[in-house]
Amino acid sequence: MADGNWTISERVPVRFTGGRARTGPATLGQTNMVRSVGIDDPAGSNARLIWEVPAGVDVARLASVVTTLLLRHDSLRTTFPEAGRQSVAGEGSLEMSVYEADDAYACADDVAPRLRAIRFDPATELPVRASVITSHGVPAGLILILCHTAVDAASQSILRREVTALLTGEELPPPAATQPVDLGETEQTPAGQRRIASALRYWDDLLSTTPQAMFAVPGVGPTDWMLPRLTLRSTTAAPALARIADRTGAGRATVVLAALCALIGRRLGVRTAVVAMLAANRLLPHLTDYVGTISQDALMSAELDVATFDELVGRIRDRSLAAYRRSTFDSVALWNIIDGVAARRGTHWARDCVFNDLTGLGQGSGPADVTDSAIRLEWLPAEAMPTRLMVWAVRLDDEVELSVLADPGCLSTAEVEAFGSAIIRLIVEAADQDIDLASSSVVASLEPVVRGDGWYLSDRCWIELAAVRQLLDDVLDGRPNLVVAVPDPAFGHRLVCYVTGDHVAAERIHADCVAALEMRPSAMAPHHYVLCSQAPADVTDVTAWQSLAVAERTGRAEPKVTVRPAN
């Protein structure tokens, strides 16, 4: 088989035998990823690891390396034949394709993305694809594509180290004692279930009370989730970050997160920063070298009503610790909570802002250049990420290295560069003393979004009345209606929809509105519906609608007649 400047010269069977065959409950992380890999773009969710092959290592030796990994780590031999259960194969095989090319690097750049873009079937397929790149018959590269059901970022780091050691002839330490079936059984114990229940209560509370979207701003709509990646590097910020961490007692990543939140507040005009942080969940010693997917979201919400940067760092530290403690949860139960909150509030939770601390994984771009005091920027190709803004803390030692991935529909190229640079500049500005955020030249350098007439705060969410009206028009398919925003002491502004129909129609309209909210960050379902005997001649006349009103309903599952006046 040939394509471009390479051919598949052979397909080598990689067999493993002697492993322990096991079945048991799927872990929380596995259950979450089984669901995700069936939905998310595989080009973004599948992991890609590539190694240069040292001289003298042949294809048979590479097959042996893959076999060693398979036998060390149960997660690489695990499938999910039924919901909530995992099955670990004791023996089996996979096929390793050998790609022959004159230019091994160009071949790897071509082949790896193709293989990564192929979706795994967690029910029947081992979560590993192995390939070798040869040039003139000599192995030059080893590629592993791994399903997210088998590895998270920390696991990938472990596999990188192990393969590097095996390729150079080093002996590996014994594998981690805890394997996925062990963890799954632990999670099912009473103590494990109490921890999960606590996490779900925490999420329920935050989802019920925080803004539904950070990027409820003019002009933001549907996206393809392809986010260009900007890498920023600064050696000047490194000692500044260390001084702030020492002064506040917070971790360096927490300081970066605080800077991010300050700038989110400024740029997006929000009073609360809601950020999903990726939690490694590896604090316990028996999980340090665990290969499997245990990373889950830790949801943090922090009010931004503080005067100084150090105060903000302290608040972010407290809120993030609370979030990390509740980052082990049943994803199926969580999605039920998300759906329940959506129906109750009439909102759609948008995982708009994500922060990922990768500093323990050794993924920096290279040695720090201490002679260069400028912030060095490099744009990398877009990656599939289901969020509007993601910030990676890649390195925070003798150099600060961040990656900022942003939806082009939310932030232009110039705005991403300004935003990412501002994170670093704010750290430098706060290096020697606490600073007043209202007086910060760095914070002030970001232009805030402008929300004009027709924008309201409702139930702590920014909404645009025009977007809500468009939502109702789409759901009702031309049926006459009128939505108005009414000042309300509880919600800030209450959304009232005038429409014809009965209480059953109200419930159906509300359910259809909630179902249609995805990709509409500035829309929200009405808080209640005024049911009218008919539509007035002038459908924009709220007084005319009121004269035809016969009942009011919330549209929620337990319909309640509201006694508050319509305006």
Side-chain angles (χ1 to χ4, degrees), residues 180-258:
V181 170
D182 304 316
L183 182 58
E185 291 172 345
T186 299
E187 291 171 346
Q188 295 301 315
T189 63
Q193 291 297 299
R194 286 193 297 271
R195 184 182 181 192
I196 293 166
S198 174
L200 293 174
R201 288 193 299 270
Y202 170 87
W203 276 79
D204 194 355
D205 180 62
L206 283 195
L207 293 171
S208 299
T209 57
T210 56
Q212 65 168 343
M214 290 288 95
F215 277 92
V217 297
V220 172
T223 177
D224 61 4
W225 303 125
M226 291 302 295
L227 276 55
R229 174 182 169 189
L230 173 66
T231 292
L232 305 98
R233 301 175 67 184
S234 169
T235 53
T236 303
L241 182 62
R243 287 197 291 273
I244 298 171
D246 289 343
R247 186 175 72 231
T248 61
R252 297 185 185 191
T254 300
V255 177
V256 174
L257 178 57

Side-chain angles (χ1 to χ4, degrees), residues 110-239:
D110 183 27
V111 167
R114 296 183 186 218
L115 298 176
R116 191 183 188 190
I118 302 172
R119 194 180 303 277
F120 281 94
D121 179 0
T124 61
E125 185 181 2
L126 291 180
V128 183
R129 298 190 186 113
S131 302
V132 176
I133 308 295
T134 63
S135 183
H136 306 290
V138 178
L142 173 65
I143 301 173
L144 292 184
I145 306 297
L146 303 159
C147 182
H148 214 341
T149 60
V151 295
D152 55 17
S155 299
Q156 294 172 48
S157 182
I158 293 168
L159 294 181
R160 284 191 188 95
R161 293 197 306 266
E162 291 188 347
V163 170
T164 299
L166 291 169
L167 290 176
T168 56
E170 296 180 32
E171 185 174 343
L172 296 180
T178 299
Q179 297 289 346
V181 170
D182 304 316
L183 182 58
E185 291 172 345
T186 299
E187 291 171 346
Q188 295 301 315
T189 63
Q193 291 297 299
R194 286 193 297 271
R195 184 182 181 192
I196 293 166
S198 174
L200 293 174
R201 288 193 299 270
Y202 170 87
W203 276 79
D204 194 355
D205 180 62
L206 283 195
L207 293 171
S208 299
T209 57
T210 56
Q212 65 168 343
M214 290 288 95
F215 277 92
V217 297
V220 172
T223 177
D224 61 4
W225 303 125
M226 291 302 295
L227 276 55
R229 174 182 169 189
L230 173 66
T231 292
L232 305 98
R233 301 175 67 184
S234 169
T235 53
T236 303

Side-chain angles (χ1 to χ4, degrees), residues 48 55 90 119 158 173 220 226 273 289 300 382 419 480 500 520 535:
R48 175 189 62 187
R119 194 180 303 277
I158 293 168
V220 172
M226 291 302 295
D289 294 323
M300 185 203 70
F419 189 91
T500 58
R520 302 176 193 250

Side-chain angles (χ1 to χ4, degrees), residues 153-154 229 253 278 355-364 392-395:
R229 174 182 169 189
L278 296 183
F355 179 74
N356 194 5
D357 178 8
L358 300 171
T359 54
L361 304 183
Q363 296 185 5
W392 298 345
V394 181
R395 183 176 174 184

Side-chain angles (χ1 to χ4, degrees), residues 288-319:
T288 302
D289 294 323
Y290 173 88
V291 171
T293 181
I294 53 176
S295 174
Q296 289 185 284
D297 275 1
L299 185 63
M300 185 203 70
S301 171
E303 299 300 312
L304 301 177
D305 57 347
V306 294
T308 72
F309 186 65
D310 285 9
E311 288 180 84
L312 182 59
V313 170
R315 178 166 292 180
I316 296 300
R317 177 190 58 213
D318 294 344
R319 299 295 187 270

Side-chain angles (χ1 to χ4, degrees), residues 10 26 73 103 123 151 183 188 204 208 220 272 296 313 316 336 347 359 398 408 465 475 538 543 547:
E10 60 178 321
H73 306 298
D103 187 335
V151 295
L183 182 58
Q188 295 301 315
D204 194 355
S208 299
V220 172
T272 305
Q296 289 185 284
V313 170
I316 296 300
N336 289 335
T347 56
T359 54
D398 59 344
L465 187 57
V475 165
D538 181 0
T543 303
S547 69

